[in-house]
Amino acid sequence: MDVRLAWRMMKSVIANPLTAAAFAPFGDVIEKGGGEQFSINRGNCIRHHALATAEVTGDDASVIISIFCGQPYGLPHVLDMVERHPLGSQAFYPLSTNQWLVIVAPDASGKPGLPQAFLARGDQGINLKPGIWHGVLTPLDVPADFLVVDCGGTADNLEEHYFDAPYDVRLL
Amino acid sequence: MDVRLAWRMMKSVIANPLTAAAFAPFGDVIEKGGGEQFSINRGNCIRHHALATAEVTGDDASVIISIFCGQPYGLPHVLDMVERHPLGSQAFYPLSTNQWLVIVAPDASGKPGLPQAFLARGDQGINLKPGIWHGVLTPLDVPADFLVVDCGGTADNLEEHYFDAPYDVRLL
């Protein structure tokens, strides 16, 4: 197929601002004000408490903390695959102030349904529930580091799905 | 006691640069290059893998992710108490680029021994092992936010110790 024709035939996915309500089917948004908050340390610290909970399954599974250093993607972004981790949640929190892109998809009989995209601010992280289809880490414009809290262990925890027809993800 | 006399009698603790080797008795330093690293996402991301592991104990214990918004402290810093969490590890990662202060103490028969202080860069986090005596979160100079990974649950997980004689924590 002609490349230009293929591009014109691609289905678009519009990235909307990331909100806790819209993201709830897929997991939690990690942001100040997103949960209970209280003062600790003799008034010197506000704790925004339990914005997300890590979940892991498996005999030797553990909750591990890693740093991901991601190369940036541009918009529109051609989405040709998503992946999921059945054995654990996966949290991403940006270590820079740049906005970034979050792509997820509902499950439809073991395969990803129509993807949804969210534009996250630089002070918003996410925690994907176990088994949620999602795009790879997609910083925008500039390289960016993220703190990642996910599942460690020896079991196979990666399932990938390549779309027959890619989507293009863009802003309105 | 005269305040000036009390100050002169305070024992000083010198904060040294935070390194994984020096911090090892207390926990892990979370920093790029601090562990195994490999390329993922078709070469678009470097994963600095499993820099720390969260550990929690208890019937309803879970690993939770919170955000702490800390007011800054100055140097020298008067350290009059430390605390510990017997049921879980506690990780702090700065969400700004500012240096910050880490204070820990070895255990000595159920009480804290001589405190040790470390000056952490803005791209260094820590994960305290369960039960390690430590000072409260101490950003320096300006208010700062931290991502925190620690233990959720209903059990009492806080033990505090107030020193008979405070320490002053300072740089060389």
Side-chain angles (χ1 to χ4, degrees):
Chain A
M1 188 187 296
D2 179 273
V3 170
R4 286 165 301 178
L5 180 62
W7 181 271
R8 285 211 308 277
M9 289 177 63
M10 264 199 275
K11 288 183 187 165
S12 286
V13 174
I14 303 298
N16 291 302
L18 180 65
T19 66
F23 194 69
F26 309 104
D28 289 309
V29 175
I30 301 169
E31 61 185 339
K32 288 189 277 186
E36 184 188 5
Q37 62 194 70
F38 44 88
S39 177
I40 59 173
N41 301 349
R42 292 182 268 195
N44 285 317
C45 186
I46 302 294
R47 180 175 179 131
H48 297 262
H49 181 65
L51 302 171
T53 300
E55 296 175 60
V56 298
T57 307
D59 286 343
D60 71 345
S62 58
V63 177
I64 58 174
I65 302 173
S66 305
I67 295 175
F68 282 20
C69 305
Q71 291 299 311
Y73 294 76
L75 290 175
H77 166 58
V78 176
L79 176 73
D80 64 354
M81 68 87 72
V82 289
E83 62 185 37
R84 63 177 177 178
H85 311 296
L87 301 181
S89 58
Q90 188 173 42
F92 296 89
Y93 198 95
L95 300 179
S96 66
T97 57
N98 304 303
Q99 60 181 7
W100 57 293
L101 191 63
V102 173
I103 300 171
V104 289
D107 186 68
S109 304
K111 291 187 177 180
L114 189 66
Q116 293 186 39
F118 299 95
L119 191 63
R121 301 189 312 264
D123 61 354
Q124 288 180 311
I126 59 163
N127 189 37
L128 295 163
K129 295 178 191 175
I132 291 292
W133 293 108
H134 61 279
V136 299
L137 179 64
T138 37
L140 296 173
D141 306 324
V142 293
D145 295 347
F146 291 74
L147 202 70
V148 176
V149 180
D150 64 359
C151 179
T154 55
D156 182 12
N157 189 27
L158 175 63
E159 189 178 347
E160 294 179 324
H161 179 90
Y162 284 82
F163 295 112
D164 292 332
Y167 296 88
D168 81 293
V169 180
R170 56 179 64 221
L171 304 182
L172 250 191
Chain B
M1 187 187 298
D2 179 274
V3 169
R4 287 165 301 178
L5 179 61
W7 181 271
R8 285 211 308 278
M9 288 177 63
M10 262 198 276
K11 287 183 187 165
S12 286
V13 173
I14 303 299
N16 291 302
L18 179 65
T19 65
F23 194 69
F26 309 104
D28 289 308
V29 175
I30 302 170
E31 61 184 341
K32 288 189 277 185
E36 184 189 3
Q37 61 193 72
F38 44 87
S39 177
I40 59 174
N41 301 349
R42 293 182 267 195
N44 285 318
C45 185
I46 302 293
R47 180 175 179 131
H48 296 263
H49 181 66
L51 302 170
T53 300
E55 296 175 59
V56 298
T57 307
D59 287 344
D60 71 345
S62 57
V63 176
I64 57 173
I65 302 173
S66 304
I67 295 175
F68 282 21
C69 305
Q71 290 300 310
Y73 295 76
L75 291 175
H77 166 60
V78 176
L79 177 74
D80 64 354
M81 68 87 72
V82 290
E83 62 185 37
R84 63 176 176 178
H85 311 295
L87 301 181
S89 57
Q90 189 174 42
F92 296 89
Y93 198 96
L95 300 179
S96 66
T97 57
N98 304 303
Q99 61 183 6
W100 57 293
L101 191 63
V102 173
I103 299 171
V104 289
D107 186 67
S109 305
K111 291 187 176 179
L114 188 66
Q116 294 186 39
F118 298 95
L119 190 64
R121 300 190 312 265
D123 61 353
Q124 288 180 310
I126 60 163
N127 189 37
L128 295 163
K129 296 178 191 175
I132 291 291
W133 293 107
H134 60 278
V136 299
L137 180 64
T138 36
L140 297 174
D141 305 324
V142 292
D145 295 347
F146 291 74
L147 201 70
V148 175
V149 181
D150 64 359
C151 179
T154 55
D156 182 12
N157 189 26
L158 175 63
E159 189 178 346
E160 294 178 324
H161 179 90
Y162 285 81
F163 295 111
D164 292 332
Y167 297 87
D168 81 292
V169 181
R170 56 179 64 222
L171 304 182
L172 249 193

